[in-house]
Amino acid sequence: MKFSKKATLGLLFSLTLIVAGCGQQSASNTNASSAGTGHTAPTESEAAKLNVQVSFYPMYEFTKNVAGDLAEVHTLVPAGMEPHDWEPTPQDIASIEKADVLVYNGAGMESWMDQVTGSLSNASLIQVEASKGINLLEGGEHDHHHGDSEATEHDHDHDHANGATTDEHDHDHAVGVTTEEHDHDHDAEAEEGHDHDHGGLDPHVWLSPALAVKEVRNIEAGLAQAAPEHAEQFKKNADAYVAQLESLDQDFKSAVADSKRKDFITQHAAFGYLAQEYGLQQVPIAGLSPEQEPSAAQMASVIDFAKEHQVKTIFFETLVSSKVSETIASEVGAKTAVLNPIEGLTEKEIASGMDYISVMRQNLEALKLALNE
Protein backbone atom coordinates (compact mmCIF):
# COMPACT_ATOMS: atom_id res chain seq x y z
CA MET A 1 0.00 0.00 0.00
CA LYS A 2 1.35 3.43 -0.92
CA PHE A 3 0.96 6.21 1.60
CA SER A 4 1.04 9.87 0.68
CA LYS A 5 3.91 11.99 1.89
CA LYS A 6 1.48 14.09 3.94
CA ALA A 7 0.11 11.02 5.74
CA THR A 8 3.60 9.70 6.35
CA LEU A 9 4.78 12.99 7.85
CA GLY A 10 1.65 13.16 9.99
CA LEU A 11 2.57 9.82 11.51
CA LEU A 12 6.13 11.00 12.03
CA PHE A 13 4.92 14.04 13.99
CA SER A 14 3.07 11.78 16.42
CA LEU A 15 6.09 9.55 16.83
CA THR A 16 8.29 12.59 17.35
CA LEU A 17 6.49 13.46 20.56
CA ILE A 18 7.39 10.04 21.91
CA VAL A 19 10.98 10.29 20.70
CA ALA A 20 11.46 13.77 22.12
CA GLY A 21 10.08 12.64 25.46
CA CYS A 22 12.59 9.84 25.57
CA GLY A 23 15.41 12.26 24.82
CA GLN A 24 16.68 10.35 21.82
CA GLN A 25 19.11 11.96 19.42
CA SER A 26 19.17 12.07 15.63
CA ALA A 27 20.98 9.34 13.79
CA SER A 28 21.92 11.63 10.92
CA ASN A 29 25.51 12.55 10.27
CA THR A 30 27.00 15.24 12.48
CA ASN A 31 29.50 16.69 10.05
CA ALA A 32 31.31 16.03 6.81
CA SER A 33 34.24 14.29 8.47
CA SER A 34 32.13 11.98 10.66
CA ALA A 35 29.15 11.41 8.38
CA GLY A 36 26.84 8.57 9.30
CA THR A 37 27.62 8.64 13.02
CA GLY A 38 24.87 9.38 15.51
CA HIS A 39 24.67 12.42 17.77
CA THR A 40 26.28 11.97 21.15
CA ALA A 41 25.61 13.86 24.36
CA PRO A 42 27.07 17.38 24.02
CA THR A 43 30.17 18.27 25.96
CA GLU A 44 30.25 21.39 28.14
CA SER A 45 31.97 23.36 25.37
CA GLU A 46 29.48 22.14 22.78
CA ALA A 47 26.57 23.14 25.00
CA ALA A 48 27.81 26.73 24.89
CA LYS A 49 27.73 26.76 21.09
CA LEU A 50 24.79 27.26 18.78
CA ASN A 51 23.00 24.05 17.87
CA VAL A 52 22.47 24.34 14.11
CA GLN A 53 20.60 21.76 12.05
CA VAL A 54 20.97 21.95 8.26
CA SER A 55 19.02 20.06 5.64
CA PHE A 56 21.69 18.65 3.30
CA TYR A 57 25.34 18.94 2.31
CA PRO A 58 25.70 22.34 0.59
CA MET A 59 23.90 23.95 3.52
CA TYR A 60 26.35 22.23 5.87
CA GLU A 61 29.35 23.48 3.92
CA PHE A 62 28.13 27.06 3.75
CA THR A 63 26.99 27.14 7.38
CA LYS A 64 30.13 25.55 8.80
CA ASN A 65 32.33 28.05 6.99
CA VAL A 66 30.35 30.95 8.45
CA ALA A 67 29.91 29.51 11.94
CA GLY A 68 33.46 28.27 12.44
CA ASP A 69 33.95 27.08 16.01
CA LEU A 70 30.94 29.00 17.30
CA ALA A 71 28.34 26.36 16.41
CA GLU A 72 27.80 22.64 16.26
CA VAL A 73 26.45 22.04 12.75
CA HIS A 74 24.55 18.81 12.08
CA THR A 75 23.33 17.59 8.68
CA LEU A 76 19.94 15.91 8.53
CA VAL A 77 20.34 14.03 5.23
CA PRO A 78 23.02 11.33 5.77
CA ALA A 79 26.16 11.15 3.66
CA GLY A 80 25.73 9.41 0.32
CA MET A 81 21.94 9.77 0.27
CA GLU A 82 20.14 11.56 -2.56
CA PRO A 83 18.20 14.39 -0.82
CA HIS A 84 15.32 15.08 -3.21
CA ASP A 85 13.04 12.42 -1.75
CA TRP A 86 14.52 12.14 1.73
CA GLU A 87 12.08 12.56 4.59
CA PRO A 88 12.93 13.21 8.26
CA THR A 89 12.62 10.48 10.85
CA PRO A 90 11.06 11.12 14.27
CA GLN A 91 14.60 11.43 15.63
CA ASP A 92 15.41 14.09 13.01
CA ILE A 93 12.32 16.09 13.90
CA ALA A 94 13.22 15.85 17.58
CA SER A 95 16.69 17.20 16.76
CA ILE A 96 15.16 20.13 14.86
CA GLU A 97 12.91 20.83 17.85
CA LYS A 98 15.97 21.22 20.09
CA ALA A 99 17.97 23.37 17.67
CA ASP A 100 18.77 27.07 17.88
CA VAL A 101 18.96 27.48 14.09
CA LEU A 102 17.61 25.51 11.14
CA VAL A 103 19.23 26.17 7.76
CA TYR A 104 17.67 24.89 4.55
CA ASN A 105 17.95 25.70 0.86
CA GLY A 106 14.27 26.34 0.17
CA ALA A 107 12.76 26.81 -3.31
CA GLY A 108 11.01 23.48 -2.78
CA MET A 109 14.16 21.40 -2.34
CA GLU A 110 13.01 20.28 1.10
CA SER A 111 9.39 19.44 0.33
CA TRP A 112 8.86 18.30 3.92
CA MET A 113 9.96 21.60 5.48
CA ASP A 114 6.71 23.54 5.92
CA GLN A 115 4.84 20.62 7.43
CA VAL A 116 7.68 19.75 9.81
CA THR A 117 8.33 23.28 11.01
CA GLY A 118 4.59 23.88 11.38
CA SER A 119 4.49 21.07 13.93
CA LEU A 120 7.28 22.43 16.14
CA SER A 121 6.74 24.01 19.54
CA ASN A 122 10.17 25.73 19.61
CA ALA A 123 9.07 29.33 19.06
CA SER A 124 12.64 30.64 19.33
CA LEU A 125 13.99 28.51 16.48
CA ILE A 126 15.66 30.69 13.84
CA GLN A 127 14.84 29.32 10.39
CA VAL A 128 17.12 30.42 7.56
CA GLU A 129 15.95 29.84 4.00
CA ALA A 130 19.24 30.26 2.18
CA SER A 131 17.71 30.94 -1.24
CA LYS A 132 15.66 33.95 -0.11
CA GLY A 133 16.01 37.00 -2.33
CA ILE A 134 17.25 34.95 -5.30
CA ASN A 135 15.35 35.03 -8.58
CA LEU A 136 14.33 31.43 -9.08
CA LEU A 137 14.00 29.64 -12.38
CA GLU A 138 10.75 27.94 -13.23
CA GLY A 139 11.50 24.25 -13.42
CA GLY A 140 8.26 22.27 -13.40
CA GLU A 141 8.40 21.49 -17.11
CA HIS A 142 11.81 21.32 -18.75
CA ASP A 143 12.29 21.73 -22.48
CA HIS A 144 14.81 19.02 -23.33
CA HIS A 145 15.78 20.85 -26.48
CA HIS A 146 16.72 24.07 -24.78
CA GLY A 147 17.39 23.36 -21.12
CA ASP A 148 16.94 25.63 -18.13
CA SER A 149 18.86 28.56 -19.55
CA GLU A 150 15.66 29.70 -21.24
CA ALA A 151 13.45 29.16 -18.22
CA THR A 152 11.41 31.99 -16.79
CA GLU A 153 12.70 33.63 -13.63
CA HIS A 154 10.53 33.62 -10.54
CA ASP A 155 10.95 36.51 -8.13
CA HIS A 156 11.80 34.88 -4.83
CA ASP A 157 11.61 38.17 -2.93
CA HIS A 158 10.23 38.01 0.57
CA ASP A 159 11.19 41.60 1.41
CA HIS A 160 13.76 40.45 3.95
CA ALA A 161 17.09 41.99 4.76
CA ASN A 162 19.81 39.49 3.82
CA GLY A 163 17.27 36.69 3.53
CA ALA A 164 15.94 36.86 7.09
CA THR A 165 12.19 36.42 7.38
CA THR A 166 9.94 39.04 8.91
CA ASP A 167 6.72 39.40 10.81
CA GLU A 168 4.73 39.45 7.59
CA HIS A 169 4.14 35.77 8.27
CA ASP A 170 1.22 34.62 10.35
CA HIS A 171 3.10 33.18 13.31
CA ASP A 172 4.35 35.37 16.12
CA HIS A 173 7.92 34.18 15.99
CA ALA A 174 11.08 36.20 16.34
CA VAL A 175 12.42 37.87 13.21
CA GLY A 176 14.15 35.27 11.04
CA VAL A 177 11.75 32.43 11.71
CA THR A 178 9.98 31.20 8.61
CA THR A 179 6.40 29.98 8.67
CA GLU A 180 4.00 27.97 6.57
CA GLU A 181 3.22 30.78 4.14
CA HIS A 182 5.73 31.94 1.51
CA ASP A 183 5.45 34.04 -1.64
CA HIS A 184 5.88 30.90 -3.66
CA ASP A 185 3.37 28.21 -2.80
CA HIS A 186 4.84 25.07 -1.23
CA ASP A 187 1.45 23.51 -0.46
CA ALA A 188 1.38 21.41 -3.60
CA GLU A 189 4.73 19.90 -2.72
CA ALA A 190 3.23 18.04 0.22
CA GLU A 191 0.48 16.54 -1.89
CA GLU A 192 0.74 13.02 -3.21
CA GLY A 193 1.84 12.96 -6.83
CA HIS A 194 3.95 16.11 -6.54
CA ASP A 195 6.87 14.70 -4.62
CA HIS A 196 9.38 15.42 -7.38
CA ASP A 197 8.46 18.77 -8.89
CA HIS A 198 9.69 21.18 -6.19
CA GLY A 199 6.55 23.25 -6.60
CA GLY A 200 7.52 24.17 -10.16
CA LEU A 201 10.75 25.94 -9.12
CA ASP A 202 14.34 24.90 -9.70
CA PRO A 203 16.02 24.70 -6.27
CA HIS A 204 19.61 24.08 -7.41
CA VAL A 205 20.87 27.62 -6.79
CA TRP A 206 24.01 26.47 -4.93
CA LEU A 207 25.52 25.26 -8.22
CA SER A 208 26.12 28.85 -9.29
CA PRO A 209 29.06 30.17 -7.23
CA ALA A 210 27.65 33.68 -7.57
CA LEU A 211 24.34 32.57 -6.05
CA ALA A 212 26.17 30.51 -3.44
CA VAL A 213 27.56 33.84 -2.22
CA LYS A 214 24.01 35.06 -1.63
CA GLU A 215 23.14 31.88 0.26
CA VAL A 216 26.22 32.32 2.46
CA ARG A 217 25.19 35.90 3.26
CA ASN A 218 21.68 34.77 4.19
CA ILE A 219 23.16 32.16 6.51
CA GLU A 220 25.46 34.77 8.03
CA ALA A 221 22.43 36.96 8.78
CA GLY A 222 20.57 34.06 10.41
CA LEU A 223 23.49 33.08 12.63
CA ALA A 224 24.04 36.70 13.64
CA GLN A 225 20.40 36.91 14.62
CA ALA A 226 20.74 33.80 16.75
CA ALA A 227 23.97 34.96 18.40
CA PRO A 228 24.36 38.73 17.88
CA GLU A 229 27.36 38.81 20.20
CA HIS A 230 29.26 36.85 17.52
CA ALA A 231 28.00 38.81 14.50
CA GLU A 232 31.41 40.31 13.81
CA GLN A 233 33.11 36.91 13.75
CA PHE A 234 30.38 35.46 11.53
CA LYS A 235 30.95 38.30 9.08
CA LYS A 236 34.70 37.77 9.14
CA ASN A 237 34.26 34.06 8.45
CA ALA A 238 31.70 34.71 5.73
CA ASP A 239 33.95 37.29 4.05
CA ALA A 240 36.79 34.76 3.88
CA TYR A 241 34.59 32.07 2.38
CA VAL A 242 32.91 34.47 -0.04
CA ALA A 243 36.37 35.39 -1.34
CA GLN A 244 36.89 31.74 -2.26
CA LEU A 245 33.49 31.59 -3.97
CA GLU A 246 34.18 34.78 -5.91
CA SER A 247 37.51 33.37 -7.09
CA LEU A 248 35.69 30.23 -8.22
CA ASP A 249 33.12 32.38 -10.01
CA GLN A 250 35.84 34.23 -11.91
CA ASP A 251 37.50 30.96 -12.90
CA PHE A 252 34.21 29.71 -14.36
CA LYS A 253 33.76 32.93 -16.31
CA SER A 254 37.28 32.75 -17.73
CA ALA A 255 37.05 29.07 -18.60
CA VAL A 256 33.83 29.24 -20.62
CA ALA A 257 34.33 32.64 -22.26
CA ASP A 258 36.13 31.27 -25.32
CA SER A 259 34.92 27.67 -25.31
CA LYS A 260 34.11 26.02 -28.64
CA ARG A 261 30.59 25.11 -27.63
CA LYS A 262 28.07 26.36 -25.08
CA ASP A 263 25.79 23.34 -24.66
CA PHE A 264 26.16 20.29 -22.44
CA ILE A 265 23.99 17.25 -21.71
CA THR A 266 23.51 16.30 -18.09
CA GLN A 267 21.69 13.56 -16.24
CA HIS A 268 19.08 15.76 -14.57
CA ALA A 269 18.15 19.42 -14.68
CA ALA A 270 20.38 20.59 -11.84
CA PHE A 271 22.60 23.04 -13.69
CA GLY A 272 20.16 25.69 -14.88
CA TYR A 273 21.57 28.43 -12.64
CA LEU A 274 25.15 27.59 -13.55
CA ALA A 275 24.21 27.62 -17.24
CA GLN A 276 22.40 30.95 -16.91
CA GLU A 277 25.28 32.55 -14.99
CA TYR A 278 27.90 31.66 -17.59
CA GLY A 279 25.95 31.82 -20.83
CA LEU A 280 25.70 28.07 -21.30
CA GLN A 281 22.87 25.80 -22.45
CA GLN A 282 21.90 22.87 -20.24
CA VAL A 283 20.21 19.95 -22.00
CA PRO A 284 18.91 17.67 -19.23
CA ILE A 285 17.98 14.05 -19.81
CA ALA A 286 15.55 14.01 -16.87
CA GLY A 287 13.77 16.69 -14.85
CA LEU A 288 14.57 18.36 -11.55
CA SER A 289 14.74 15.11 -9.60
CA PRO A 290 17.42 12.60 -10.62
CA GLU A 291 15.03 9.80 -9.70
CA GLN A 292 12.69 10.76 -12.55
CA GLU A 293 12.86 8.37 -15.46
CA PRO A 294 12.88 10.11 -18.85
CA SER A 295 10.22 9.05 -21.31
CA ALA A 296 11.08 7.40 -24.61
CA ALA A 297 10.30 10.68 -26.36
CA GLN A 298 12.64 12.58 -24.05
CA MET A 299 15.40 10.07 -24.63
CA ALA A 300 14.92 10.33 -28.38
CA SER A 301 14.99 14.13 -28.19
CA VAL A 302 18.28 14.17 -26.29
CA ILE A 303 19.79 11.59 -28.66
CA ASP A 304 18.77 13.70 -31.65
CA PHE A 305 20.27 16.79 -30.03
CA ALA A 306 23.52 14.99 -29.27
CA LYS A 307 23.84 13.74 -32.84
CA GLU A 308 22.93 17.05 -34.41
CA HIS A 309 25.37 19.00 -32.26
CA GLN A 310 28.05 16.31 -32.20
CA VAL A 311 28.13 16.12 -28.43
CA LYS A 312 31.12 14.05 -27.29
CA THR A 313 30.40 13.84 -23.53
CA ILE A 314 27.25 12.85 -21.66
CA PHE A 315 27.38 13.80 -18.00
CA PHE A 316 26.14 11.69 -15.11
CA GLU A 317 26.32 12.18 -11.34
CA THR A 318 27.57 10.34 -8.29
CA LEU A 319 24.56 9.56 -6.07
CA VAL A 320 22.27 7.94 -8.65
CA SER A 321 22.57 5.32 -11.38
CA SER A 322 24.44 6.34 -14.52
CA LYS A 323 22.55 3.82 -16.68
CA VAL A 324 20.50 6.37 -18.65
CA SER A 325 23.53 8.55 -19.43
CA GLU A 326 25.49 5.48 -20.49
CA THR A 327 22.65 4.37 -22.78
CA ILE A 328 22.58 7.72 -24.56
CA ALA A 329 26.37 7.88 -24.77
CA SER A 330 26.46 4.44 -26.34
CA GLU A 331 23.76 5.42 -28.83
CA VAL A 332 25.60 8.52 -30.05
CA GLY A 333 29.19 7.30 -29.70
CA ALA A 334 30.05 9.65 -26.83
CA LYS A 335 31.86 9.07 -23.54
CA THR A 336 30.49 9.69 -20.06
CA ALA A 337 31.90 11.91 -17.33
CA VAL A 338 30.82 13.15 -13.91
CA LEU A 339 29.19 16.55 -13.43
CA ASN A 340 28.42 16.60 -9.73
CA PRO A 341 25.30 18.48 -8.48
CA ILE A 342 26.80 18.34 -4.95
CA GLU A 343 23.53 17.26 -3.38
CA GLY A 344 25.63 15.15 -1.05
CA LEU A 345 29.12 13.70 -0.76
CA THR A 346 29.87 10.01 -0.98
CA GLU A 347 31.81 8.32 1.81
CA LYS A 348 34.81 8.16 -0.53
CA GLU A 349 34.65 11.91 -1.21
CA ILE A 350 34.39 12.64 2.51
CA ALA A 351 37.36 10.38 3.27
CA SER A 352 39.46 12.14 0.64
CA GLY A 353 38.72 15.57 2.12
CA MET A 354 36.53 16.84 -0.70
CA ASP A 355 34.29 19.85 -0.15
CA TYR A 356 32.05 22.21 -2.15
CA ILE A 357 34.94 24.24 -3.57
CA SER A 358 37.00 21.23 -4.65
CA VAL A 359 34.02 19.44 -6.20
CA MET A 360 33.02 22.58 -8.09
CA ARG A 361 36.58 22.83 -9.41
CA GLN A 362 36.28 19.25 -10.62
CA ASN A 363 33.03 20.25 -12.33
CA LEU A 364 34.83 23.19 -13.94
CA GLU A 365 37.56 20.95 -15.34
CA ALA A 366 34.98 18.48 -16.65
CA LEU A 367 33.03 21.26 -18.35
CA LYS A 368 36.18 22.79 -19.85
CA LEU A 369 36.97 19.48 -21.53
CA ALA A 370 33.43 18.87 -22.76
CA LEU A 371 32.95 22.40 -24.07
CA ASN A 372 36.14 22.29 -26.12
CA GLU A 373 35.81 18.89 -27.83
Side-chain angles (χ1 to χ4, degrees):
M1 179 181 296
K2 181 178 179 181
F3 294 94
S4 71
K5 181 172 289 187
K6 180 176 288 185
T8 302
L9 286 174
L11 177 60
L12 286 177
F13 299 149
S14 299
L15 292 174
T16 299
L17 297 177
I18 299 173
V19 172
C22 295
Q24 295 181 7
Q25 297 292 326
S26 171
S28 56
N29 54 301
T30 59
N31 55 50
S33 63
S34 59
T37 62
H39 294 319
T40 57
T43 64
E44 184 176 345
S45 62
E46 290 173 337
K49 299 178 180 181
L50 286 175
N51 175 354
V52 182
Q53 299 288 329
V54 303
S55 56
F56 68 116
Y57 175 72
M59 300 302 101
Y60 169 85
E61 178 78 9
F62 299 163
T63 302
K64 189 63 179 174
N65 275 280
V66 175
D69 295 330
L70 298 174
E72 291 296 320
V73 183
H74 307 285
T75 311
L76 292 165
V77 178
M81 180 172 290
E82 211 294 317
H84 283 80
D85 296 319
W86 179 87
E87 293 181 10
T89 66
Q91 293 92 339
D92 294 321
I93 299 173
S95 294
I96 296 171
E97 182 73 65
K98 298 172 185 177
D100 299 307
V101 181
L102 173 63
V103 178
Y104 62 104
N105 182 76
M109 183 65 187
E110 302 89 350
S111 60
W112 46 268
M113 183 61 65
D114 285 347
Q115 196 168 5
V116 168
T117 56
S119 74
L120 302 176
S121 59
N122 181 1
S124 64
L125 177 67
I126 303 298
Q127 296 178 40
V128 181
E129 185 174 14
S131 64
K132 270 185 170 49
I134 294 175
N135 288 334
L136 298 178
L137 296 173
E138 298 288 350
E141 295 293 335
H142 286 277
D143 184 337
H144 288 261
H145 291 284
H146 302 293
D148 286 347
S149 58
E150 297 183 2
T152 303
E153 288 187 1
H154 175 87
D155 189 1
H156 191 44
D157 184 6
H158 295 256
D159 297 326
H160 308 307
N162 296 321
T165 62
T166 71
D167 56 5
E168 290 177 346
H169 299 292
D170 292 342
H171 295 271
D172 294 328
H173 295 289
V175 174
V177 181
T178 59
T179 66
E180 295 174 356
E181 291 190 0
H182 298 274
D183 289 350
H184 56 83
D185 186 2
H186 288 299
D187 291 344
E189 295 161 3
E191 296 297 330
E192 184 176 6
H194 296 274
D195 292 350
H196 303 283
D197 66 4
H198 302 289
L201 299 175
D202 184 346
H204 301 88
V205 295
W206 65 89
L207 288 169
S208 161
L211 297 183
V213 168
K214 295 184 178 181
E215 294 206 297
V216 168
R217 291 304 187 187
N218 285 343
I219 292 168
E220 177 199 341
L223 294 180
Q225 180 182 337
E229 69 275 16
H230 297 308
E232 184 176 346
Q233 186 61 51
F234 292 144
K235 184 180 186 305
K236 181 179 179 181
N237 294 345
D239 288 347
Y241 190 60
V242 163
Q244 296 183 57
L245 293 173
E246 289 176 341
S247 175
L248 179 65
D249 176 46
Q250 289 300 317
D251 289 344
F252 265 92
K253 289 178 180 177
S254 298
V256 304
D258 299 318
S259 59
K260 293 180 181 179
R261 61 187 313 125
K262 300 297 182 183
D263 50 61
F264 62 98
I265 296 176
T266 187
Q267 185 158 335
H268 88 285
F271 297 90
Y273 294 100
L274 183 146
Q276 177 178 259
E277 189 69 35
Y278 304 116
L280 301 176
Q281 182 182 4
Q282 173 188 231
V283 181
I285 299 171
L288 288 175
S289 171
E291 300 299 331
Q292 288 178 311
E293 290 289 337
S295 67
Q298 289 171 330
M299 291 278 285
S301 176
V302 174
I303 288 170
D304 288 345
F305 181 94
K307 289 179 176 179
E308 179 181 351
H309 294 84
Q310 298 182 326
V311 176
K312 306 296 184 183
T313 300
I314 308 297
F315 286 115
F316 68 97
E317 55 198 67
T318 54
L319 295 183
V320 295
S321 171
S322 60
K323 182 178 179 180
V324 172
S325 294
E326 291 171 350
T327 298
I328 291 178
S330 177
E331 180 71 22
V332 302
K335 65 179 182 296
T336 59
V338 171
L339 197 62
N340 195 331
I342 324 182
E343 293 171 347
L345 296 184
T346 64
E347 295 289 354
K348 183 178 179 180
E349 289 169 334
I350 292 170
S352 63
M354 299 294 289
D355 59 17
Y356 173 87
I357 297 288
S358 59
V359 175
M360 282 298 290
R361 290 201 173 278
Q362 287 184 342
N363 283 344
L364 174 57
E365 293 304 313
L367 275 172
K368 283 166 63 176
L369 290 173
L371 296 176
N372 288 284
E373 292 176 319

